Amino acid sequence: MNQENDNKTNDPGSPDSENDYAFLRETVKQKPLTARDILYRLLAIAASAVLFGSVAGLTFRAVSNVSGTPAQTVSIPRDDSSEGELSDTSPAEGTDSSGESDSVPAETPVPSPTPSLTPEEKNALAIEADRQFYTAMRSVADRVKCSVVTVTGLLSQEDWFHQETVVSRTVSGVIAADNGQSLLILVESRVLDGSERIAVTFHDNTIADASFLKSDPSVGLTVLSVLREGLPEQLQRTAVPAELGNSYSLLLGDALIALGSPTGNAGSFACGHVTSLETPVSLVDGSFPLITTDIEGTSAGSGVLYNTDGKVVGFIAQQYAPTGTGIITAIPISLMKSTIELLSNGSPIPYLGIRGQDISVSVSEKTGLPKGIYVTEALADSPAFAAGVQPGDIITVIDDKNVLTLRALHERLMAFVPGTEVSLTVLRNGAEGYVEIPLTVQIGELS
């Protein structure tokens, strides 16, 4: 009997249940808040926010200082080759290009005759313009010099008398990235060959040990790692990665700043202008147009090129400078961003193993050769050689995508993971002309 009553009471559809819980459907009106109540609540919320923020900040700082903080993946945005290219006839920002105006055009004033200058006055004006140019360049250099470092490779050797001596080699590099755990230094590989210890000197003369991370032997660049832990706090705030600019936007005559050791001395500074952007340099699986300048340097010069916005547009590589000259030359930074990203993450560099040259439209029209990449050499023991690529072949397709230039091949190749099998189409000259040959190649690792 009691059970039946209990069931009846607990049945939400029963009349008794509805009467017992009818108050749940009533609207309860709260007492209106006074101005003082609102003020007290706002103060309580603000105090809670301050307390939470303080605790979160202390927690974050404690976690950040832990030596086992995992490194973050470095990501470097790519540049559009058309970025920065503007027509000489394009209207300036903020101007009305329609040619219509509500205002009455003012009469063009008649220019007053310019007084002729004496040779001494012309010389004084030229000196002043030159002084202002160098002052402006020096100002930019002072703003970005915190990202430039000096890298020293140390090697023990025995002399003729069997006495052990320490040989040091020095080259300039740049902080290219920060993964949260380490500062990543981009430097020429030549200073590292055989080095037993690598030291990095920062802008404030702090010296720290560096470890080898990854290298690209084709271009001759290496990324080093310097742990942030142990560096002075002030240095950790000021030693920031350089901002990588867009070298596609460079024009002949653009002003450039060379920092590092362009003259062969660490911490040196020089400036000048772009003189050429078309000199081709052939590499394994690619090529790039060299940046040449009118900046006087040495064959041992090193460092980076900045534009007037304080962005890196080139990495000095004097091994490509014309023989017998000391002019500063550099690798365009936009063409190296894929490589820098892979090196900064310790990832392998994909490898095909060919040398070649582009067959442009004009060359094709003159020679009758098909457009594509003319293979001049398939390196021994390379993936291309193993797949059957031969000198004289013309590469046109990789992984079902057209690649008609070495630059396009390099960009496409950087997207593959070593060990991946991809299709490769080459044109091979036979008795009846060029015919398509489908090949399968396993992407290797450059070492």
Side-chain angles (χ1 to χ4, degrees), residues 294-324:
D294 58 5
I295 303 174
E296 290 292 336
T298 66
S299 59
S302 60
V304 285
L305 290 181
Y306 286 85
N307 61 16
T308 54
D309 292 329
K311 299 178 181 179
V312 174
V313 291
F315 195 86
I316 296 175
Q318 289 300 85
Q319 66 266 35
Y320 301 119
T323 305

PDB file of all heavy atoms in Angstrom, residues 294-324:
ATOM      1  N   ASP A 294      76.791  46.920 -55.611  1.00  0.00           N
ATOM      2  CA  ASP A 294      78.011  47.705 -55.803  1.00  0.00           C
ATOM      3  C   ASP A 294      78.727  47.917 -54.469  1.00  0.00           C
ATOM      4  O   ASP A 294      79.592  48.788 -54.349  1.00  0.00           O
ATOM      5  CB  ASP A 294      77.686  49.056 -56.451  1.00  0.00           C
ATOM      6  CG  ASP A 294      76.692  49.878 -55.631  1.00  0.00           C
ATOM      7  OD1 ASP A 294      76.327  49.446 -54.516  1.00  0.00           O
ATOM      8  OD2 ASP A 294      76.270  50.947 -56.099  1.00  0.00           O
ATOM      9  N   ILE A 295      78.382  47.090 -53.464  1.00  0.00           N
ATOM     10  CA  ILE A 295      79.001  47.186 -52.148  1.00  0.00           C
ATOM     11  C   ILE A 295      80.361  46.499 -52.187  1.00  0.00           C
ATOM     12  O   ILE A 295      80.468  45.328 -52.567  1.00  0.00           O
ATOM     13  CB  ILE A 295      78.114  46.544 -51.070  1.00  0.00           C
ATOM     14  CG1 ILE A 295      76.727  47.195 -51.049  1.00  0.00           C
ATOM     15  CG2 ILE A 295      78.770  46.638 -49.702  1.00  0.00           C
ATOM     16  CD1 ILE A 295      75.745  46.517 -50.122  1.00  0.00           C
ATOM     17  N   GLU A 296      81.401  47.226 -51.793  1.00  0.00           N
ATOM     18  CA  GLU A 296      82.743  46.662 -51.764  1.00  0.00           C
ATOM     19  C   GLU A 296      82.911  45.796 -50.525  1.00  0.00           C
ATOM     20  O   GLU A 296      82.662  46.241 -49.402  1.00  0.00           O
ATOM     21  CB  GLU A 296      83.782  47.779 -51.780  1.00  0.00           C
ATOM     22  CG  GLU A 296      83.872  48.530 -53.097  1.00  0.00           C
ATOM     23  CD  GLU A 296      84.431  47.680 -54.222  1.00  0.00           C
ATOM     24  OE1 GLU A 296      85.160  46.700 -53.915  1.00  0.00           O
ATOM     25  OE2 GLU A 296      84.135  47.977 -55.396  1.00  0.00           O
ATOM     26  N   GLY A 297      83.350  44.553 -50.734  1.00  0.00           N
ATOM     27  CA  GLY A 297      83.599  43.651 -49.627  1.00  0.00           C
ATOM     28  C   GLY A 297      84.853  42.846 -49.898  1.00  0.00           C
ATOM     29  O   GLY A 297      85.755  43.297 -50.597  1.00  0.00           O
ATOM     30  N   THR A 298      84.904  41.659 -49.319  1.00  0.00           N
ATOM     31  CA  THR A 298      86.035  40.758 -49.547  1.00  0.00           C
ATOM     32  C   THR A 298      85.505  39.381 -49.902  1.00  0.00           C
ATOM     33  O   THR A 298      84.323  39.071 -49.699  1.00  0.00           O
ATOM     34  CB  THR A 298      86.922  40.644 -48.290  1.00  0.00           C
ATOM     35  OG1 THR A 298      86.167  39.991 -47.250  1.00  0.00           O
ATOM     36  CG2 THR A 298      87.370  42.015 -47.817  1.00  0.00           C
ATOM     37  N   SER A 299      86.393  38.543 -50.400  1.00  0.00           N
ATOM     38  CA  SER A 299      85.994  37.180 -50.746  1.00  0.00           C
ATOM     39  C   SER A 299      85.601  36.380 -49.510  1.00  0.00           C
ATOM     40  O   SER A 299      84.890  35.387 -49.606  1.00  0.00           O
ATOM     41  CB  SER A 299      87.131  36.472 -51.483  1.00  0.00           C
ATOM     42  OG  SER A 299      88.295  36.431 -50.670  1.00  0.00           O
ATOM     43  N   ALA A 300      86.075  36.821 -48.339  1.00  0.00           N
ATOM     44  CA  ALA A 300      85.733  36.144 -47.088  1.00  0.00           C
ATOM     45  C   ALA A 300      84.548  36.795 -46.394  1.00  0.00           C
ATOM     46  O   ALA A 300      84.208  36.416 -45.266  1.00  0.00           O
ATOM     47  CB  ALA A 300      86.938  36.146 -46.146  1.00  0.00           C
ATOM     48  N   GLY A 301      83.909  37.773 -47.036  1.00  0.00           N
ATOM     49  CA  GLY A 301      82.789  38.472 -46.425  1.00  0.00           C
ATOM     50  C   GLY A 301      81.604  37.554 -46.172  1.00  0.00           C
ATOM     51  O   GLY A 301      81.407  36.545 -46.859  1.00  0.00           O
ATOM     52  N   SER A 302      80.811  37.910 -45.166  1.00  0.00           N
ATOM     53  CA  SER A 302      79.631  37.107 -44.830  1.00  0.00           C
ATOM     54  C   SER A 302      78.618  37.997 -44.134  1.00  0.00           C
ATOM     55  O   SER A 302      78.911  39.133 -43.763  1.00  0.00           O
ATOM     56  CB  SER A 302      80.008  35.927 -43.923  1.00  0.00           C
ATOM     57  OG  SER A 302      80.583  36.403 -42.713  1.00  0.00           O
ATOM     58  N   GLY A 303      77.421  37.473 -43.939  1.00  0.00           N
ATOM     59  CA  GLY A 303      76.372  38.235 -43.276  1.00  0.00           C
ATOM     60  C   GLY A 303      75.088  38.235 -44.076  1.00  0.00           C
ATOM     61  O   GLY A 303      74.808  37.293 -44.833  1.00  0.00           O
ATOM     62  N   VAL A 304      74.313  39.295 -43.924  1.00  0.00           N
ATOM     63  CA  VAL A 304      73.000  39.374 -44.568  1.00  0.00           C
ATOM     64  C   VAL A 304      72.800  40.743 -45.200  1.00  0.00           C
ATOM     65  O   VAL A 304      73.427  41.724 -44.810  1.00  0.00           O
ATOM     66  CB  VAL A 304      71.863  39.100 -43.557  1.00  0.00           C
ATOM     67  CG1 VAL A 304      71.752  37.642 -43.222  1.00  0.00           C
ATOM     68  CG2 VAL A 304      72.064  39.918 -42.283  1.00  0.00           C
ATOM     69  N   LEU A 305      71.889  40.780 -46.185  1.00  0.00           N
ATOM     70  CA  LEU A 305      71.488  42.028 -46.825  1.00  0.00           C
ATOM     71  C   LEU A 305      70.101  42.412 -46.336  1.00  0.00           C
ATOM     72  O   LEU A 305      69.179  41.594 -46.356  1.00  0.00           O
ATOM     73  CB  LEU A 305      71.460  41.881 -48.353  1.00  0.00           C
ATOM     74  CG  LEU A 305      72.798  41.729 -49.082  1.00  0.00           C
ATOM     75  CD1 LEU A 305      72.559  41.612 -50.581  1.00  0.00           C
ATOM     76  CD2 LEU A 305      73.733  42.882 -48.761  1.00  0.00           C
ATOM     77  N   TYR A 306      69.961  43.657 -45.900  1.00  0.00           N
ATOM     78  CA  TYR A 306      68.676  44.206 -45.482  1.00  0.00           C
ATOM     79  C   TYR A 306      68.226  45.261 -46.487  1.00  0.00           C
ATOM     80  O   TYR A 306      69.058  45.944 -47.100  1.00  0.00           O
ATOM     81  CB  TYR A 306      68.786  44.884 -44.107  1.00  0.00           C
ATOM     82  CG  TYR A 306      68.903  43.949 -42.931  1.00  0.00           C
ATOM     83  CD1 TYR A 306      70.133  43.441 -42.542  1.00  0.00           C
ATOM     84  CD2 TYR A 306      67.781  43.593 -42.193  1.00  0.00           C
ATOM     85  CE1 TYR A 306      70.244  42.596 -41.446  1.00  0.00           C
ATOM     86  CE2 TYR A 306      67.888  42.752 -41.096  1.00  0.00           C
ATOM     87  CZ  TYR A 306      69.113  42.254 -40.725  1.00  0.00           C
ATOM     88  OH  TYR A 306      69.217  41.419 -39.642  1.00  0.00           O
ATOM     89  N   ASN A 307      66.892  45.404 -46.633  1.00  0.00           N
ATOM     90  CA  ASN A 307      66.377  46.530 -47.401  1.00  0.00           C
ATOM     91  C   ASN A 307      66.168  47.710 -46.459  1.00  0.00           C
ATOM     92  O   ASN A 307      66.436  47.623 -45.260  1.00  0.00           O
ATOM     93  CB  ASN A 307      65.097  46.156 -48.154  1.00  0.00           C
ATOM     94  CG  ASN A 307      63.955  45.739 -47.219  1.00  0.00           C
ATOM     95  OD1 ASN A 307      63.984  45.997 -46.009  1.00  0.00           O
ATOM     96  ND2 ASN A 307      62.947  45.097 -47.769  1.00  0.00           N
ATOM     97  N   THR A 308      65.689  48.807 -46.983  1.00  0.00           N
ATOM     98  CA  THR A 308      65.550  50.014 -46.168  1.00  0.00           C
ATOM     99  C   THR A 308      64.417  49.913 -45.159  1.00  0.00           C
ATOM    100  O   THR A 308      64.280  50.776 -44.296  1.00  0.00           O
ATOM    101  CB  THR A 308      65.338  51.239 -47.067  1.00  0.00           C
ATOM    102  OG1 THR A 308      64.221  50.997 -47.945  1.00  0.00           O
ATOM    103  CG2 THR A 308      66.572  51.521 -47.908  1.00  0.00           C
ATOM    104  N   ASP A 309      63.595  48.859 -45.249  1.00  0.00           N
ATOM    105  CA  ASP A 309      62.551  48.623 -44.249  1.00  0.00           C
ATOM    106  C   ASP A 309      63.069  47.779 -43.084  1.00  0.00           C
ATOM    107  O   ASP A 309      62.309  47.455 -42.167  1.00  0.00           O
ATOM    108  CB  ASP A 309      61.339  47.921 -44.881  1.00  0.00           C
ATOM    109  CG  ASP A 309      60.600  48.815 -45.866  1.00  0.00           C
ATOM    110  OD1 ASP A 309      60.610  50.045 -45.655  1.00  0.00           O
ATOM    111  OD2 ASP A 309      60.030  48.294 -46.837  1.00  0.00           O
ATOM    112  N   GLY A 310      64.330  47.388 -43.141  1.00  0.00           N
ATOM    113  CA  GLY A 310      64.892  46.574 -42.078  1.00  0.00           C
ATOM    114  C   GLY A 310      64.535  45.104 -42.188  1.00  0.00           C
ATOM    115  O   GLY A 310      64.536  44.395 -41.182  1.00  0.00           O
ATOM    116  N   LYS A 311      64.267  44.619 -43.390  1.00  0.00           N
ATOM    117  CA  LYS A 311      63.930  43.209 -43.612  1.00  0.00           C
ATOM    118  C   LYS A 311      65.031  42.527 -44.422  1.00  0.00           C
ATOM    119  O   LYS A 311      65.594  43.112 -45.348  1.00  0.00           O
ATOM    120  CB  LYS A 311      62.591  43.078 -44.347  1.00  0.00           C
ATOM    121  CG  LYS A 311      61.412  43.671 -43.586  1.00  0.00           C
ATOM    122  CD  LYS A 311      60.126  43.550 -44.393  1.00  0.00           C
ATOM    123  CE  LYS A 311      58.945  44.164 -43.646  1.00  0.00           C
ATOM    124  NZ  LYS A 311      57.690  44.070 -44.423  1.00  0.00           N
ATOM    125  N   VAL A 312      65.326  41.277 -44.067  1.00  0.00           N
ATOM    126  CA  VAL A 312      66.358  40.520 -44.766  1.00  0.00           C
ATOM    127  C   VAL A 312      65.864  40.150 -46.167  1.00  0.00           C
ATOM    128  O   VAL A 312      64.793  39.561 -46.322  1.00  0.00           O
ATOM    129  CB  VAL A 312      66.721  39.241 -43.991  1.00  0.00           C
ATOM    130  CG1 VAL A 312      67.694  38.389 -44.788  1.00  0.00           C
ATOM    131  CG2 VAL A 312      67.307  39.580 -42.635  1.00  0.00           C
ATOM    132  N   VAL A 313      66.653  40.497 -47.187  1.00  0.00           N
ATOM    133  CA  VAL A 313      66.293  40.158 -48.563  1.00  0.00           C
ATOM    134  C   VAL A 313      67.338  39.257 -49.213  1.00  0.00           C
ATOM    135  O   VAL A 313      67.102  38.722 -50.306  1.00  0.00           O
ATOM    136  CB  VAL A 313      66.083  41.416 -49.425  1.00  0.00           C
ATOM    137  CG1 VAL A 313      64.829  42.158 -48.993  1.00  0.00           C
ATOM    138  CG2 VAL A 313      67.299  42.338 -49.370  1.00  0.00           C
ATOM    139  N   GLY A 314      68.482  39.082 -48.561  1.00  0.00           N
ATOM    140  CA  GLY A 314      69.509  38.224 -49.142  1.00  0.00           C
ATOM    141  C   GLY A 314      70.479  37.726 -48.091  1.00  0.00           C
ATOM    142  O   GLY A 314      70.688  38.374 -47.060  1.00  0.00           O
ATOM    143  N   PHE A 315      71.056  36.559 -48.352  1.00  0.00           N
ATOM    144  CA  PHE A 315      72.073  35.992 -47.474  1.00  0.00           C
ATOM    145  C   PHE A 315      73.389  35.998 -48.230  1.00  0.00           C
ATOM    146  O   PHE A 315      73.518  35.369 -49.287  1.00  0.00           O
ATOM    147  CB  PHE A 315      71.691  34.566 -47.055  1.00  0.00           C
ATOM    148  CG  PHE A 315      72.476  34.058 -45.890  1.00  0.00           C
ATOM    149  CD1 PHE A 315      72.077  34.333 -44.596  1.00  0.00           C
ATOM    150  CD2 PHE A 315      73.636  33.322 -46.079  1.00  0.00           C
ATOM    151  CE1 PHE A 315      72.813  33.886 -43.510  1.00  0.00           C
ATOM    152  CE2 PHE A 315      74.372  32.867 -45.006  1.00  0.00           C
ATOM    153  CZ  PHE A 315      73.958  33.150 -43.712  1.00  0.00           C
ATOM    154  N   ILE A 316      74.362  36.743 -47.709  1.00  0.00           N
ATOM    155  CA  ILE A 316      75.628  36.937 -48.415  1.00  0.00           C
ATOM    156  C   ILE A 316      76.318  35.594 -48.651  1.00  0.00           C
ATOM    157  O   ILE A 316      76.471  34.783 -47.736  1.00  0.00           O
ATOM    158  CB  ILE A 316      76.551  37.888 -47.625  1.00  0.00           C
ATOM    159  CG1 ILE A 316      75.908  39.281 -47.552  1.00  0.00           C
ATOM    160  CG2 ILE A 316      77.930  37.973 -48.272  1.00  0.00           C
ATOM    161  CD1 ILE A 316      76.678  40.272 -46.700  1.00  0.00           C
ATOM    162  N   ALA A 317      76.723  35.367 -49.909  1.00  0.00           N
ATOM    163  CA  ALA A 317      77.388  34.122 -50.302  1.00  0.00           C
ATOM    164  C   ALA A 317      78.490  34.473 -51.299  1.00  0.00           C
ATOM    165  O   ALA A 317      78.270  34.481 -52.505  1.00  0.00           O
ATOM    166  CB  ALA A 317      76.383  33.147 -50.910  1.00  0.00           C
ATOM    167  N   GLN A 318      79.662  34.792 -50.776  1.00  0.00           N
ATOM    168  CA  GLN A 318      80.755  35.280 -51.613  1.00  0.00           C
ATOM    169  C   GLN A 318      81.381  34.200 -52.485  1.00  0.00           C
ATOM    170  O   GLN A 318      82.164  34.509 -53.383  1.00  0.00           O
ATOM    171  CB  GLN A 318      81.833  35.929 -50.743  1.00  0.00           C
ATOM    172  CG  GLN A 318      81.412  37.258 -50.132  1.00  0.00           C
ATOM    173  CD  GLN A 318      81.065  38.292 -51.192  1.00  0.00           C
ATOM    174  OE1 GLN A 318      79.948  38.328 -51.684  1.00  0.00           O
ATOM    175  NE2 GLN A 318      82.031  39.117 -51.552  1.00  0.00           N
ATOM    176  N   GLN A 319      81.034  32.928 -52.263  1.00  0.00           N
ATOM    177  CA  GLN A 319      81.555  31.886 -53.143  1.00  0.00           C
ATOM    178  C   GLN A 319      81.003  32.012 -54.558  1.00  0.00           C
ATOM    179  O   GLN A 319      81.546  31.441 -55.501  1.00  0.00           O
ATOM    180  CB  GLN A 319      81.254  30.489 -52.593  1.00  0.00           C
ATOM    181  CG  GLN A 319      79.777  30.101 -52.552  1.00  0.00           C
ATOM    182  CD  GLN A 319      79.144  30.401 -51.222  1.00  0.00           C
ATOM    183  OE1 GLN A 319      79.479  31.395 -50.573  1.00  0.00           O
ATOM    184  NE2 GLN A 319      78.236  29.539 -50.784  1.00  0.00           N
ATOM    185  N   TYR A 320      79.920  32.785 -54.695  1.00  0.00           N
ATOM    186  CA  TYR A 320      79.331  32.988 -56.019  1.00  0.00           C
ATOM    187  C   TYR A 320      79.741  34.318 -56.652  1.00  0.00           C
ATOM    188  O   TYR A 320      79.304  34.648 -57.747  1.00  0.00           O
ATOM    189  CB  TYR A 320      77.799  32.936 -55.919  1.00  0.00           C
ATOM    190  CG  TYR A 320      77.270  31.635 -55.363  1.00  0.00           C
ATOM    191  CD1 TYR A 320      76.532  31.607 -54.187  1.00  0.00           C
ATOM    192  CD2 TYR A 320      77.527  30.430 -56.004  1.00  0.00           C
ATOM    193  CE1 TYR A 320      76.052  30.412 -53.665  1.00  0.00           C
ATOM    194  CE2 TYR A 320      77.055  29.229 -55.490  1.00  0.00           C
ATOM    195  CZ  TYR A 320      76.318  29.232 -54.319  1.00  0.00           C
ATOM    196  OH  TYR A 320      75.841  28.048 -53.813  1.00  0.00           O
ATOM    197  N   ALA A 321      80.561  35.098 -55.953  1.00  0.00           N
ATOM    198  CA  ALA A 321      80.981  36.393 -56.482  1.00  0.00           C
ATOM    199  C   ALA A 321      81.873  36.200 -57.694  1.00  0.00           C
ATOM    200  O   ALA A 321      82.608  35.203 -57.792  1.00  0.00           O
ATOM    201  CB  ALA A 321      81.711  37.187 -55.406  1.00  0.00           C
ATOM    202  N   PRO A 322      81.824  37.132 -58.654  1.00  0.00           N
ATOM    203  CA  PRO A 322      82.701  37.023 -59.825  1.00  0.00           C
ATOM    204  C   PRO A 322      84.162  36.932 -59.407  1.00  0.00           C
ATOM    205  O   PRO A 322      84.607  37.610 -58.485  1.00  0.00           O
ATOM    206  CB  PRO A 322      82.424  38.329 -60.586  1.00  0.00           C
ATOM    207  CG  PRO A 322      81.057  38.743 -60.143  1.00  0.00           C
ATOM    208  CD  PRO A 322      80.939  38.293 -58.718  1.00  0.00           C
ATOM    209  N   THR A 323      84.902  36.076 -60.082  1.00  0.00           N
ATOM    210  CA  THR A 323      86.303  35.859 -59.740  1.00  0.00           C
ATOM    211  C   THR A 323      87.103  37.152 -59.842  1.00  0.00           C
ATOM    212  O   THR A 323      86.970  37.908 -60.805  1.00  0.00           O
ATOM    213  CB  THR A 323      86.920  34.801 -60.676  1.00  0.00           C
ATOM    214  OG1 THR A 323      86.139  33.614 -60.613  1.00  0.00           O
ATOM    215  CG2 THR A 323      88.350  34.490 -60.267  1.00  0.00           C
ATOM    216  N   GLY A 324      87.909  37.391 -58.822  1.00  0.00           N
ATOM    217  CA  GLY A 324      88.781  38.549 -58.848  1.00  0.00           C
ATOM    218  C   GLY A 324      88.134  39.828 -58.364  1.00  0.00           C
ATOM    219  O   GLY A 324      88.753  40.888 -58.408  1.00  0.00           O
TER     220      GLY A 324
END
